[in-house]
Amino acid sequence: MGKGWQGKAIHGFRETEIAQWSEASREILQRVRDTAFLPGMSQLSLVHVLDLDKSGYIKPHVDSVKFCGCTIAGLSLLSSCVMRLVSEQNPEDWMDLLLPRRSLYILRGTARYEFTHEILKDEESFFDGQKIPRERRISVICRNLPAPT
Ligand code: OGA
Ligand code: MN
């Protein structure tokens, strides 16, 4: 999140955090937030924007529990991709999710804390035996804050 805490996990990318959005974008982000978060959950006001180039990918990781809370909501733009979830406890327990371009995914609970997530590189980007070509992909990610300890 601009702090480099996931930097080693991500290859072939640029990223930024955006606070000021156009009116049209604000409306879309509000729909994402209303879908992903319950009223009263304190959310990070900065939105994370990750721009993966065609050869970029994200290695398996769990988002920092220190910097973000129980819910991660991401819009995939420009390119479809495959997100793989792998159980940390039992790596044989895994699943692939097809993230079509312009779709929203929400990771929370078990998927957020007990499974790593990754975005497959173009060469490995298959879903149900079908190639899912990876082009440049921009993701727009909203997170909430960890519960105060
Ligand atoms: C991350 C991440 C996924 C995405 O930045 O921690 O997992 O959809 N991003 O880009
Ligand atoms: Mn992540």
Side-chain angles (χ1 to χ4, degrees), residues 105-124:
Y105 68 83
I106 298 171
L107 294 179
R108 61 160 75 93
T110 306
R112 186 259 184 269
Y113 290 114
E114 293 174 34
F115 285 66
T116 59
H117 56 275
E118 62 195 283
I119 300 289
L120 303 184
K121 54 175 84 162
D122 183 54
E123 303 93 275
E124 298 166 0

Side-chain angles (χ1 to χ4, degrees), residues 26 35 139 148-149:
R26 274 205 301 278
T35 304
S139 52
T149 47

Side-chain angles (χ1 to χ4, degrees), residues 6 10 48 50 58 61 63 105 117 137 139 141 143:
Q6 255 124 232
I10 311 180
H48 183 193
L50 188 61
I58 304 178
H61 68 280
D63 281 23
Y105 68 83
H117 56 275
R137 170 180 181 268
S139 52
I141 306 165
R143 296 181 171 92

